[in-house]
Amino acid sequence: MKTLFTTLFLIVNCSILSKAQNDTIWFDKDWNQSTKQNASFYRPPLEKEGDLYKMKDYYIDGSLQMNGTSRFKDSVHLEGKAVWYSQNGKVNQEETYKNNTLDGVAIYYRENSKDLSREITYDMGKTISDVRFDKNRDGIRYKRYYEDGRIVKTDYYGSEGKFIGTYYESEDEYQNGNGKRVTYYNDPMSVKIIEVFENGGQLYFDAFYKNGNKQVSFNDTKLQEIFYNPEGQQIGVIQYTREDGLLYYQEGETFDFYYNGIIKSKTTYADGYQTSHKEFSLTGVLVREEFYEENETIKIVSYTNEGKKIGVYEEKNGKRNGTIRTKDNRIITYEDNLVQKAIIPYRMTKKVFASLENSQITFYDSTGNVLGRLTVELEEGEFRLHQLENSAYLPRPIEGTLFEKNYNDEITDELVFEEGKKRSESRYIFYQGKTYKETLFYNENEEFHKSISYFSNGEVKSIIHYLEGTTGIKTAAIFFDKSGKKLSEYDYKTNTGTIYKYFPQSDFPKSIIEKENDKTLTQKRYERYYDTDLKENKVVLREDIDYNGEAKFYSREGELIAEATYKNGEPTGTLYSLGRHEFIEYKKGKKHGKSISYEEDEKTIQNEGNYKNGEKHGTFTYSSYGIKQKTVNYKNGQKEGYVISYDKKGNETARLLYKNNEPYEGTHIDFYGKGKVYKEGEIIKEFSKNADLTIETSYSSEDETSTIVYDKSNQKVLSYTERNGQLQDTLYHYKNNDIAYNAVFEKGYLIDGSVWVTHNNGFQAESYAHLHRDGDSITIKTYNEENEMSFEGTVNIGLYKNYSERIVKLKLGHSLYVRPSQLFLKAYETNVF
């Protein structure tokens, strides 16, 4: 079933691209506009029905997929009721729209069923409530209530629709709320956990099996957690102690369960210490038992999945002895801290991947055939077979091949050792059903010196030599085609030859470049993209340049889109930059003529203008996703004339005159809405605006500015002066346009009065502060985000003659030197202002 969010998104996105719809539109399985041959859905032309247009979408077999009405014919703008159907004719979802916005009750059904799944109530796009059902309206369910986009409370119902309780969310997303909170199993829906909260703290909880019987219950009064089996019989209890608000295990047993209710593990505690831990298989068989002394493991007994004892493992005085089955099902035998035997299986199977015996590891494929062998030198410590690259492998490899596999049990690495040194490493990458291999070679000093890459068919792709003892400086390379035929050689020392660069995990080249003594002679560049019709990656030639002849550029469809001729390395004609999606006309090696660039779709114009003798000349227009942002006038490469800024609707917002490439007269507004006003080449004002504040700064001189801050109602909230970037003279805080506080500054230091500052020192309890000075008496009050005072202190700096004003920082955590960026601009919003 397509949900509302997917269906509506795809319909709007597909249709909005179409012009007036006079023909049937075809869509693929992902609702991308397609051809009839590749279509999974189709939409006939819309028919007029009163003031609206009747819209019907169909599955490719002709069965109705969607039925609704649109306000427009050439784009989907839903109005009224819309209904979606499964291919068997059953209703999937019903929604009501007003002006293309969800309004009213939307109902969703389980796929291919009449059973209810969900019911959402909207008020012009805003969610009011959301109900999740098991099957029917009066059965087990829960209902969420929203205000301003956030959940405020949830009502929970149990079997047969019996009301369980209500949970009220906390306004702080990091704190629990109050009431009863329920978690459910799915398919079918049943109560899993009921938690009870009071003042943000959990009082108790009950957990249930799918059959409805209680699984776990916790009581905050008794500090006990009780466990039950699926038949409802008590199987254990754990007693807690509480210290500093935290709970700790004290006495008894705790249990973990598998999804099917079978006991997964059982842990026993005595006098606050863990004494034993048992683990069970999905069938309930004991597979591992651990024993502890003062929470330290002293003995582990391991069993097979059938319950047969494998062995006993002990750790004493730092020595490992015995046989252990690890949690990832490895079976390892130690003797005096030396590994003697080991069996490493493939995941979730009994098939052996590797086995260690008599200082030799044998590796097997998933069918049981031997992959290779590796002789190792036993060393004391924990057996590790998969951490070679961080020098943690143990035991140490000596002779042979080490194999490593990934989470899907695919061989990803083969490392060959000779006399204890790594001599080669083959890496395998699996991508879209193909395998790509690269082998790295090392000399006797384990220095990397050569690599061989392979095509997916196993043939050699390239052989590259490196300067020994370096971190990868290439010296020479040979390239081959997929049949094994040599294509070219390349000398990296002189940069001579033809070099092939490939797309990652691909048999196709990304570029083919021919050079001679570092001078590029020819170049071909390709693009890889996903073809939605073919449902596969496609590689196409985009650029074919002969720097002593012709240059041709192609579209994804193979059409010639630009061409030029090179003479003495200088192009004449049109070049296309694939990276910037830009066409530029050239004349004798210089940009001359039209320049136009596009967005990623290579259809929507991004920027356009003209060049003259290599320099920008005339008007350049800059856009973003088809929306014009600004126009700039150039003369011989320098800005001359007006730079005009536009808003998202194309309306002019600012105009700035440039002379000799410098701003002279007018206003400039950047992408983020910050502006500067110039007069006769000098900045006289700066301003910025967001949803809450407008900040205007006027320049009295190059070194002195005056700033006024306004709220969203355009009331003055703060004004101050800066000289050489430091606060100077009198600062005013306003409330309701009247002066509420003032402070006098000299070279950034508070001399007298009150100022409100931010207090970002890492303490959540301190969000902002009120700093006051009266002579030598300095007082600070700090507040949290809820406007609650968290600290108040006063210091008399006159009594600390040797420290002067530094004592304020030491005693109160704040300096008398206040930077303009520290001013608390929204102090007027607090209830303590």
Side-chain angles (χ1 to χ4, degrees):
M1 178 180 75
K2 288 190 177 294
T3 66
L4 148 74
F5 310 102
T6 303
T7 305
L8 181 59
F9 175 81
L10 291 172
I11 290 176
V12 172
N13 270 273
C14 295
S15 300
I16 204 71
L17 300 176
S18 304
K19 295 183 179 179
Q21 187 188 345
N22 298 314
D23 300 312
T24 295
I25 301 177
W26 305 91
F27 302 97
D28 65 15
K29 65 180 181 64
D30 297 317
W31 283 93
N32 296 309
Q33 199 163 328
S34 179
T35 61
K36 183 176 181 179
Q37 291 75 16
N38 297 302
S40 297
F41 308 93
Y42 67 91
R43 178 180 301 149
L46 276 60
E47 298 179 358
K48 194 74 181 286
E49 187 177 87
D51 295 331
L52 303 174
Y53 291 88
K54 192 67 178 176
M55 186 179 74
K56 291 186 177 182
D57 291 338
Y58 294 88
Y59 293 96
I60 198 65
D61 64 0
S63 54
L64 184 63
Q65 191 270 342
M66 182 267 191
N67 184 8
T69 50
S70 172
R71 179 173 291 186
F72 306 120
K73 183 177 182 180
D74 56 353
S75 64
V76 175
H77 192 99
L78 294 175
E79 194 73 40
K81 188 175 182 179
V83 183
W84 281 262
Y85 301 87
S86 298
Q87 207 158 354
N88 62 3
K90 293 185 181 296
V91 175
N92 268 345
Q93 60 192 55
E94 303 174 11
E95 299 163 349
T96 303
Y97 289 83
K98 186 176 181 180
N99 196 23
N100 205 40
T101 303
L102 282 161
D103 189 60
V105 178
I107 303 174
Y108 305 92
Y109 300 87
R110 297 194 179 277
E111 192 165 7
N112 299 321
S113 169
K114 292 183 179 180
D115 294 336
L116 282 172
S117 172
R118 191 176 183 186
E119 183 178 278
I120 307 176
T121 302
Y122 294 95
D123 181 5
M124 289 306 295
K126 293 183 178 180
T127 303
I128 303 301
S129 64
D130 183 357
V131 189
R132 304 294 180 100
F133 303 97
D134 179 40
K135 289 184 179 181
N136 56 70
R137 190 175 304 279
D138 299 321
I140 186 170
R141 66 195 186 278
Y142 62 90
K143 183 176 183 179
R144 290 172 172 163
Y145 298 85
Y146 292 77
E147 288 182 6
D148 298 326
R150 61 178 290 269
I151 301 170
V152 293
K153 71 173 184 176
T154 306
D155 289 337
Y156 296 98
Y157 300 82
S159 59
E160 299 180 355
K162 183 179 179 181
F163 180 69
I164 296 175
T166 301
Y167 181 75
Y168 298 89
E169 299 283 347
S170 168
E171 292 186 2
D172 186 342
E173 61 179 318
Y174 299 105
Q175 291 185 358
N176 290 316
N178 289 285
K180 289 186 178 181
R181 185 170 65 188
V182 181
T183 305
Y184 296 90
Y185 291 105
N186 292 318
D187 301 324
M189 193 174 181
S190 61
V191 174
K192 185 177 184 180
I193 301 172
I194 300 177
E195 301 171 274
V196 178
F197 295 88
E198 185 176 293
N199 297 323
Q202 188 186 70
L203 293 182
Y204 63 88
F205 73 88
D206 291 320
F208 301 86
Y209 290 99
K210 274 198 169 186
N211 65 6
N213 286 335
K214 191 174 291 187
Q215 185 183 67
V216 185
S217 65
F218 175 80
N219 190 297
D220 187 64
T221 303
K222 296 182 178 180
L223 297 184
Q224 284 185 344
E225 191 172 355
I226 304 171
F227 302 87
Y228 305 86
N229 63 19
E231 289 72 38
Q233 299 166 328
Q234 182 176 321
I235 56 175
V237 61
I238 182 72
Q239 181 69 48
Y240 289 86
T241 58
R242 193 193 301 273
E243 296 180 16
D244 298 326
L246 300 176
L247 293 176
Y248 297 91
Y249 293 126
Q250 179 64 25
E251 196 87 27
E253 301 166 325
T254 67
F255 294 81
D256 283 331
F257 300 87
Y258 288 108
Y259 65 91
N260 58 2
I262 297 295
I263 294 174
K264 184 178 183 180
S265 66
K266 171 184 173 182
T267 306
T268 304
Y269 291 84
D271 296 327
Y273 288 101
Q274 186 174 346
T275 59
S276 69
H277 176 76
K278 295 181 179 180
E279 295 182 7
F280 302 87
S281 70
L282 271 168
T283 59
V285 175
L286 179 65
V287 295
R288 182 183 176 94
E289 191 170 10
E290 302 178 10
F291 298 90
Y292 303 86
E293 286 184 1
E294 296 185 351
N295 288 338
E296 294 290 333
T297 305
I298 59 170
K299 183 170 70 174
I300 298 175
V301 183
S302 302
Y303 304 85
T304 67
N305 285 347
E306 292 74 33
K308 183 179 178 181
K309 186 175 180 180
I310 294 174
V312 178
Y313 168 86
E314 294 181 305
E315 286 188 19
K316 290 183 179 179
N317 301 320
K319 294 289 186 179
R320 296 175 173 85
N321 280 283
T323 299
I324 182 175
R325 175 186 179 178
T326 65
K327 295 190 177 184
D328 56 0
N329 291 321
R330 300 180 178 204
I331 299 176
I332 305 170
T333 300
Y334 293 91
E335 185 177 314
D336 290 333
N337 217 29
L338 290 174
V339 61
Q340 302 296 317
K341 294 181 180 182
I343 296 177
I344 298 89
Y346 282 96
R347 287 187 65 253
M348 308 301 289
T349 72
K350 293 183 179 180
K351 297 178 181 179
V352 176
F353 165 62
S355 64
L356 165 66
E357 191 169 5
N358 298 324
S359 299
Q360 186 179 76
I361 301 176
T362 303
F363 296 90
Y364 303 88
D365 64 19
S366 58
T367 63
N369 296 317
V370 174
L371 291 172
R373 292 180 171 85
L374 176 68
T375 302
V376 296
E377 180 180 320
L378 301 182
E379 293 181 351
E380 289 192 8
E382 181 184 4
F383 175 65
R384 294 186 292 267
L385 185 62
H386 59 290
Q387 298 176 355
L388 177 67
E389 291 309 303
N390 59 13
S391 303
Y393 181 88
L394 191 142
R396 190 166 68 90
I398 300 297
E399 198 81 23
T401 304
L402 166 66
F403 294 82
E404 295 183 353
K405 60 184 180 69
N406 61 15
Y407 190 77
N408 294 321
D409 284 338
E410 299 166 315
I411 302 299
T412 57
D413 288 85
E414 297 177 14
L415 300 101
V416 177
F417 293 85
E418 293 179 5
E419 298 180 354
K421 295 180 179 180
K422 183 172 65 173
R423 300 305 301 272
S424 71
E425 177 180 3
S426 295
R427 300 171 178 171
Y428 298 86
I429 297 177
F430 308 94
Y431 183 70
Q432 293 186 343
K434 295 181 179 180
T435 303
Y436 299 91
K437 176 184 176 183
E438 181 183 24
T439 302
L440 312 179
F441 295 88
Y442 302 84
N443 61 20
E444 293 180 353
N445 297 320
E446 292 189 294
E447 296 171 337
F448 172 53
H449 68 90
K450 184 175 72 172
S451 70
I452 300 179
S453 296
Y454 298 83
F455 290 103
S456 60
N457 65 359
E459 293 288 346
V460 173
K461 180 191 293 184
S462 65
I463 302 174
I464 301 178
H465 296 270
Y466 295 81
L467 185 64
E468 294 186 6
T470 68
T471 56
I473 298 177
K474 298 175 182 177
T475 58
I478 305 173
F479 300 95
F480 304 85
D481 65 14
K482 291 184 71 173
S483 68
K485 178 182 176 182
K486 186 170 79 170
L487 292 172
S488 67
E489 296 184 7
Y490 191 80
D491 187 337
Y492 287 94
K493 297 177 182 178
T494 61
N495 284 323
T496 298
T498 301
I499 183 172
Y500 285 72
K501 295 181 179 180
Y502 288 83
F503 291 103
Q505 292 83 57
S506 172
D507 292 335
F508 298 98
K510 185 177 183 179
S511 65
I512 304 172
I513 303 173
E514 181 186 4
K515 290 186 176 184
E516 184 176 342
N517 295 322
D518 203 27
K519 182 179 180 180
T520 303
L521 303 178
T522 65
Q523 177 172 300
K524 290 184 178 181
R525 293 183 65 192
Y526 298 82
E527 181 188 14
R528 180 171 66 175
Y529 71 97
Y530 186 76
D531 190 308
T532 56
D533 290 331
L534 298 176
K535 305 295 187 297
E536 63 181 22
N537 284 326
K538 192 174 181 180
V539 177
V540 294
L541 176 66
R542 297 299 307 269
E543 177 183 294
D544 188 356
I545 302 176
D546 181 347
Y547 288 95
N548 294 300
E550 294 184 341
K552 296 182 181 296
F553 304 87
Y554 302 90
S555 68
R556 285 181 173 178
E557 294 72 32
E559 298 175 356
L560 182 66
I561 56 175
E563 57 184 330
T565 302
Y566 277 83
K567 186 176 182 179
N568 299 323
E570 297 179 342
T572 296
T574 303
L575 301 184
Y576 179 71
S577 169
L578 179 59
R580 298 191 301 271
H581 310 299
E582 181 179 24
F583 292 91
I584 302 181
E585 294 180 355
Y586 278 79
K587 184 178 181 180
K588 295 182 179 179
K590 292 184 177 180
K591 297 177 181 179
H592 189 87
K594 193 167 185 63
S595 165
I596 183 168
S597 65
Y598 294 86
E599 302 286 355
E600 289 290 330
D601 61 6
E602 298 187 272
K603 296 176 182 178
T604 306
I605 294 177
Q606 188 180 63
N607 307 319
E608 60 181 327
N610 286 275
Y611 283 85
K612 182 179 179 181
N613 295 322
E615 303 288 354
K616 291 181 177 180
H617 192 79
T619 302
F620 271 72
T621 301
Y622 299 91
S623 304
S624 178
Y625 299 101
I627 300 173
K628 182 166 62 175
Q629 290 188 325
K630 67 178 178 178
T631 57
V632 182
N633 282 284
Y634 292 90
K635 184 177 180 180
N636 298 323
Q638 294 190 330
K639 292 178 181 177
E640 189 73 21
Y642 284 100
V643 173
I644 304 174
S645 303
Y646 300 87
D647 63 19
K648 293 180 179 180
K649 296 181 180 179
N651 301 315
E652 180 179 327
T653 57
R655 179 180 290 245
L656 175 61
L657 177 66
Y658 272 77
K659 288 185 177 181
N660 299 320
N661 208 41
E662 297 291 339
Y664 184 75
E665 193 91 20
T667 303
H668 171 72
I669 299 177
D670 66 15
F671 181 77
Y672 301 100
K674 294 183 178 181
K676 293 182 179 181
V677 180
Y678 293 83
K679 185 175 182 180
E680 296 182 354
E682 300 291 337
I683 298 177
I684 63 171
K685 183 181 287 187
E686 290 184 286
F687 58 88
S688 64
K689 186 175 184 178
N690 56 36
D692 299 312
L693 298 172
T694 298
I695 303 174
E696 294 184 358
T697 299
S698 299
Y699 286 76
S700 304
S701 66
E702 185 178 348
D703 301 325
E704 185 170 318
T705 63
S706 297
T707 299
I708 302 177
V709 182
Y710 301 89
D711 65 12
K712 56 188 174 183
S713 300
N714 205 34
Q715 291 194 353
K716 192 185 298 185
V717 296
L718 182 67
S719 66
Y720 58 91
T721 300
E722 292 180 58
R723 188 174 295 142
N724 296 317
Q726 298 175 324
L727 292 173
Q728 186 71 23
D729 298 333
T730 305
L731 174 150
Y732 297 98
H733 285 283
Y734 301 85
K735 190 168 186 178
N736 299 324
N737 266 341
D738 294 326
I739 296 174
Y741 296 91
N742 64 72
V744 179
F745 285 87
E746 185 175 313
K747 293 184 178 180
Y749 283 91
L750 176 63
I751 302 302
D752 184 65
S754 296
V755 63
W756 294 80
V757 295
T758 58
H759 207 64
N760 298 324
N761 57 5
F763 295 107
Q764 291 184 353
E766 297 184 355
S767 178
Y768 61 92
H770 176 220
L771 188 62
H772 176 75
R773 179 171 184 173
D774 182 5
D776 286 342
S777 178
I778 314 296
T779 300
I780 189 170
K781 297 178 182 179
T782 64
Y783 299 85
N784 60 20
E785 292 182 351
E786 286 72 38
N787 304 320
E788 300 168 327
M789 189 170 68
S790 54
F791 172 77
E792 180 179 7
T794 301
V795 63
N796 189 330
I797 61 176
L799 300 177
Y800 296 87
K801 296 181 180 179
N802 294 332
Y803 290 92
S804 185
E805 296 174 348
R806 291 178 298 157
I807 196 65
V808 178
K809 180 71 173 177
L810 295 173
K811 289 289 187 180
L812 303 181
H814 205 292
S815 173
L816 290 179
Y817 185 85
V818 178
R819 296 186 298 274
S821 61
Q822 292 177 283
L823 296 174
F824 186 34
L825 305 184
K826 299 177 70 175
Y828 64 94
E829 285 191 345
T830 69
N831 59 17
V832 296
F833 182 78

